[in-house]
Amino acid sequence: MINFNVPPYTGKEIEYIREAVENQKICGDGPFTRKCSEWIEDRTGTAKALLTTSCTHATELAALLLDIKPGDEVIMPSYTFVSTADAFVLRGATPVFVDIRPDTMNIDETLIEDAVTDRTRAIVPVHYAGVGCEMDVILDVASRHGLAVVEDAAQGVMATYKGRALGAIGDFGCYSFHETKNFSSGEGGALLMRDASYVDRAEIFREKGTDRSKYYRGQVDKYRWQDYGSSYLPSDMNAAYLYAQLEMAEEITGTRIARWNQYYELLTPLRDRELVELPHVPDECVHNGHMFYLKCRDMDERTALIDYLKSGGVLSVFHYIPLHTAPAGVKYGRFNGEDRYTTGESERLLRLPMYYTLSADEVEYVCDKVKEFYGFGQL
Ligand SMILES: *Cc1c(COP(=O)(O)O)cnc(C)c1O
């Protein structure tokens, strides 16, 4: 059986967790948390990175820092994970969904401006599959209308747009270290801030509304309740687990990209005969091998392919149910413009197994099965 996902594991995680335990410093913001933050800051050039308990919580922090209020509007794609919208709905804002581009499944940057109203506060591009959105256009719309940009870069760690790290381009960037992502601590995330002036407030929101972060650094002699807040910092044991993977980020990414390229090559004959469509990576983008998907003709064909692969011992899965069609999306959000691609493309998309320890032989086997399904070539 070839699983759809196997969480990354490098071998050093246990040693680092033992070290964290022996440090007797296992709550948040210990030595491993610092190492992870520094790694992110060095790699991405962001002014400040704070580890969080999830990408969802990083996005909530961004919404708090932007002082998002009831009645505010936030522009985002409908083809995304619930957290992109949830973090803003929790503050009373309305997600305003915009259609995607069929080639990358990212928000269509040319449709954003039409969705801007006098209540719009932010744009939230989602870098689907670790392929960057058209950020220059998005930043331009944002600056002309005085809007913040919060990147949902949950899938974008180690990927770039015009040489800039995803997550470090907008005002805020949100990473996920959930076990389904390229680097994992089981559950985890990070908030990246381009402007260091947000750091003080972010630290207070993240530490239950207190200035405990300053206290730990010896900058104040006691910590006190300063503002509202919550608890968004992970234990140092989680950070220890994550750090073992960040140290091997080049190798993990390189392996994933090799498997991605192999899928692409082996399935190109099917694409050339217009049996399936394959992902598109714009020239400005370097992706991170987060996901390999193909698009079937329609949903029925996709269902049949999922079943066929399953009977051959391969687990493949579809992805997001567009948020504007889900109960909470209907209740809290609205779709601006026409749903030309969001629903139709999401119904055709199928994700194939992709993880660090997936072997080249396994990719070949999966591709053979896909080709068999389409009656392509004699095996
Ligand atoms: C995984 C994911 C999230 C949520 O990440 P968590 O760390 O589980 O909160 C949000 N947005 C996108 C696009 C994701 O892929």
Side-chain angles (χ1 to χ4, degrees), residues 54-56 80-81 83-84 126 152 154-155 176-178 180-181 187-188 320:
S54 64
C55 178
T56 306
T80 182
F81 189 59
S83 304
T84 318
V126 179
D152 182 335
Q155 303 173 15
S176 175
F177 301 117
H178 185 261
T180 51
K181 303 304 196 295
E187 302 277 353
Y320 307 128

Side-chain angles (χ1 to χ4, degrees), residues 101 111 165 238:
R101 297 163 43 149
L111 301 176
N238 289 57

Side-chain angles (χ1 to χ4, degrees), residues 208-258:
K208 301 93 179 162
T210 74
D211 52 354
R212 183 149 70 179
S213 300
K214 278 200 165 135
Y215 172 71
Y216 274 156
R217 288 192 295 265
Q219 293 165 323
V220 291
D221 59 4
K222 54 179 166 302
Y223 70 88
R224 293 180 304 173
W225 188 25
Q226 301 286 352
D227 204 339
Y228 50 81
S230 190
S231 188
Y232 291 131
L233 71 173
S235 124
D236 214 48
M237 290 186 290
N238 289 57
Y241 193 98
L242 177 63
Y243 191 63
Q245 300 185 13
L246 295 181
E247 272 191 329
M248 291 200 27
E250 301 286 353
E251 183 179 332
I252 291 173
T253 306
T255 302
R256 295 186 77 114
I257 288 174

Side-chain angles (χ1 to χ4, degrees), residues 16-220:
Y16 285 174
I17 286 180
R18 181 190 301 276
E19 212 181 296
V21 171
E22 287 169 356
N23 285 340
Q24 301 193 330
K25 185 77 182 72
I26 55 171
C27 67
D29 283 337
F32 282 103
T33 303
R34 201 154 48 238
K35 282 183 183 181
C36 291
S37 307
E38 281 168 8
W39 185 94
I40 296 171
E41 288 157 13
D42 290 348
R43 295 296 309 215
T44 66
T46 191
K48 181 74 183 172
L50 291 177
L51 282 201
T52 58
T53 29
S54 64
C55 178
T56 306
H57 277 166
T59 315
E60 282 182 28
L61 267 175
L64 283 166
L65 289 165
L66 291 171
D67 206 15
I68 298 292
K69 292 243 173 346
D72 289 348
E73 294 179 353
V74 180
I75 297 171
M76 63 185 67
S78 169
Y79 186 71
T80 182
F81 189 59
V82 298
S83 304
T84 318
D86 229 347
F88 296 95
V89 168
L90 210 50
R91 309 246 61 80
T94 300
V96 176
F97 303 115
V98 162
D99 209 10
I100 52 169
R101 297 163 43 149
D103 61 346
T104 58
M105 304 298 282
N106 283 335
I107 191 167
D108 185 336
E109 67 279 359
T110 66
L111 301 176
I112 292 173
E113 194 147 26
D114 184 59
V116 175
T117 71
D118 53 11
R119 307 192 126 192
T120 309
R121 296 286 319 283
I123 305 170
V124 190
V126 179
H127 305 298
Y128 188 68
V131 176
C133 297
E134 188 42 75
M135 290 305 291
D136 278 349
V137 174
I138 292 170
L139 292 174
D140 176 57
V141 175
S143 79
R144 281 188 288 106
H145 294 275
L147 310 175
V149 174
V150 180
E151 297 176 73
D152 182 335
Q155 303 173 15
V157 186
M158 291 287 283
T160 60
Y161 164 83
K162 296 188 181 174
R164 287 174 279 168
L166 301 188
I169 303 170
D171 300 276
F172 299 102
C174 306
Y175 280 174
S176 175
F177 301 117
H178 185 261
E179 73 162 29
T180 51
K181 303 304 196 295
N182 291 23
F183 314 100
S184 158
S185 49
E187 302 277 353
L191 176 69
L192 283 65
M193 286 169 272
R194 193 178 60 188
D195 177 353
S197 70
Y198 282 107
V199 174
D200 278 359
R201 260 198 119 197
E203 285 184 340
I204 287 170
F205 287 144
R206 178 169 168 269
E207 264 281 22
K208 301 93 179 162
T210 74
D211 52 354
R212 183 149 70 179
S213 300
K214 278 200 165 135
Y215 172 71
Y216 274 156
R217 288 192 295 265
Q219 293 165 323
V220 291

